[in-house]
mmCIF file with all atom_site columns, all heavy atoms in Angstrom:
data_model
loop_
_atom_site.group_PDB
_atom_site.id
_atom_site.type_symbol
_atom_site.label_atom_id
_atom_site.label_alt_id
_atom_site.label_comp_id
_atom_site.label_asym_id
_atom_site.label_entity_id
_atom_site.label_seq_id
_atom_site.pdbx_PDB_ins_code
_atom_site.Cartn_x
_atom_site.Cartn_y
_atom_site.Cartn_z
_atom_site.occupancy
_atom_site.B_iso_or_equiv
_atom_site.pdbx_formal_charge
_atom_site.auth_seq_id
_atom_site.auth_comp_id
_atom_site.auth_asym_id
_atom_site.auth_atom_id
_atom_site.pdbx_PDB_model_num
ATOM 1  N N   . ASP A 1 335 ? -59.586 -97.605  -62.194 1.00 93.00 ? 1236 ASP A N   1
ATOM 2  C CA  . ASP A 1 335 ? -58.525 -97.830  -61.349 1.00 93.00 ? 1236 ASP A CA  1
ATOM 3  C C   . ASP A 1 335 ? -57.208 -97.933  -62.136 1.00 93.00 ? 1236 ASP A C   1
ATOM 4  O O   . ASP A 1 335 ? -56.197 -97.632  -61.650 1.00 93.00 ? 1236 ASP A O   1
ATOM 5  C CB  . ASP A 1 335 ? -58.776 -99.233  -60.657 1.00 93.00 ? 1236 ASP A CB  1
ATOM 6  C CG  . ASP A 1 335 ? -58.120 -99.199  -59.294 1.00 93.00 ? 1236 ASP A CG  1
ATOM 7  O OD1 . ASP A 1 335 ? -57.900 -98.070  -58.603 1.00 93.00 ? 1236 ASP A OD1 1
ATOM 8  O OD2 . ASP A 1 335 ? -57.720 -100.358 -58.799 1.00 93.00 ? 1236 ASP A OD2 1
ATOM 9  N N   . GLY A 1 336 ? -57.337 -98.349  -63.420 1.00 94.00 ? 1237 GLY A N   1
ATOM 10 C CA  . GLY A 1 336 ? -56.130 -98.518  -64.277 1.00 94.00 ? 1237 GLY A CA  1
ATOM 11 C C   . GLY A 1 336 ? -55.638 -97.245  -64.859 1.00 94.00 ? 1237 GLY A C   1
ATOM 12 O O   . GLY A 1 336 ? -54.593 -97.194  -65.486 1.00 94.00 ? 1237 GLY A O   1
ATOM 13 N N   . VAL A 1 337 ? -56.422 -96.112  -64.712 1.00 94.00 ? 1238 VAL A N   1
ATOM 14 C CA  . VAL A 1 337 ? -55.992 -94.857  -65.340 1.00 94.00 ? 1238 VAL A CA  1
ATOM 15 C C   . VAL A 1 337 ? -54.792 -94.326  -64.616 1.00 94.00 ? 1238 VAL A C   1
ATOM 16 O O   . VAL A 1 337 ? -54.656 -94.398  -63.392 1.00 94.00 ? 1238 VAL A O   1
ATOM 17 C CB  . VAL A 1 337 ? -57.159 -93.862  -65.349 1.00 94.00 ? 1238 VAL A CB  1
ATOM 18 C CG1 . VAL A 1 337 ? -56.704 -92.526  -65.848 1.00 94.00 ? 1238 VAL A CG1 1
ATOM 19 C CG2 . VAL A 1 337 ? -58.350 -94.408  -66.166 1.00 94.00 ? 1238 VAL A CG2 1
ATOM 20 N N   . ASP A 1 338 ? -53.829 -93.796  -65.338 1.00 92.00 ? 1239 ASP A N   1
ATOM 21 C CA  . ASP A 1 338 ? -52.597 -93.176  -64.827 1.00 92.00 ? 1239 ASP A CA  1
ATOM 22 C C   . ASP A 1 338 ? -52.996 -92.146  -63.917 1.00 92.00 ? 1239 ASP A C   1
ATOM 23 O O   . ASP A 1 338 ? -53.916 -91.309  -64.180 1.00 92.00 ? 1239 ASP A O   1
ATOM 24 C CB  . ASP A 1 338 ? -51.826 -92.654  -66.031 1.00 92.00 ? 1239 ASP A CB  1
ATOM 25 C CG  . ASP A 1 338 ? -50.374 -92.657  -65.712 1.00 92.00 ? 1239 ASP A CG  1
ATOM 26 O OD1 . ASP A 1 338 ? -49.904 -93.534  -64.922 1.00 92.00 ? 1239 ASP A OD1 1
ATOM 27 O OD2 . ASP A 1 338 ? -49.688 -91.664  -66.239 1.00 92.00 ? 1239 ASP A OD2 1
ATOM 28 N N   . ASN A 1 339 ? -52.300 -92.015  -62.760 1.00 91.00 ? 1240 ASN A N   1
ATOM 29 C CA  . ASN A 1 339 ? -52.464 -90.895  -61.738 1.00 91.00 ? 1240 ASN A CA  1
ATOM 30 C C   . ASN A 1 339 ? -53.658 -91.174  -60.874 1.00 91.00 ? 1240 ASN A C   1
ATOM 31 O O   . ASN A 1 339 ? -53.845 -90.367  -59.903 1.00 91.00 ? 1240 ASN A O   1
ATOM 32 C CB  . ASN A 1 339 ? -52.607 -89.469  -62.491 1.00 91.00 ? 1240 ASN A CB  1
ATOM 33 C CG  . ASN A 1 339 ? -52.369 -88.362  -61.471 1.00 91.00 ? 1240 ASN A CG  1
ATOM 34 O OD1 . ASN A 1 339 ? -51.653 -88.539  -60.475 1.00 91.00 ? 1240 ASN A OD1 1
ATOM 35 N ND2 . ASN A 1 339 ? -53.000 -87.246  -61.716 1.00 91.00 ? 1240 ASN A ND2 1
ATOM 36 N N   . VAL A 1 340 ? -54.362 -92.201  -61.020 1.00 93.00 ? 1241 VAL A N   1
ATOM 37 C CA  . VAL A 1 340 ? -55.491 -92.493  -60.195 1.00 93.00 ? 1241 VAL A CA  1
ATOM 38 C C   . VAL A 1 340 ? -54.972 -93.215  -58.926 1.00 93.00 ? 1241 VAL A C   1
ATOM 39 O O   . VAL A 1 340 ? -54.298 -94.144  -59.006 1.00 93.00 ? 1241 VAL A O   1
ATOM 40 C CB  . VAL A 1 340 ? -56.596 -93.342  -60.893 1.00 93.00 ? 1241 VAL A CB  1
ATOM 41 C CG1 . VAL A 1 340 ? -57.649 -93.778  -59.836 1.00 93.00 ? 1241 VAL A CG1 1
ATOM 42 C CG2 . VAL A 1 340 ? -57.347 -92.436  -61.925 1.00 93.00 ? 1241 VAL A CG2 1
#
Side-chain angles (χ1 to χ4, degrees):
D1236 211 27
V1238 175
D1239 208 33
N1240 194 31
V1241 166

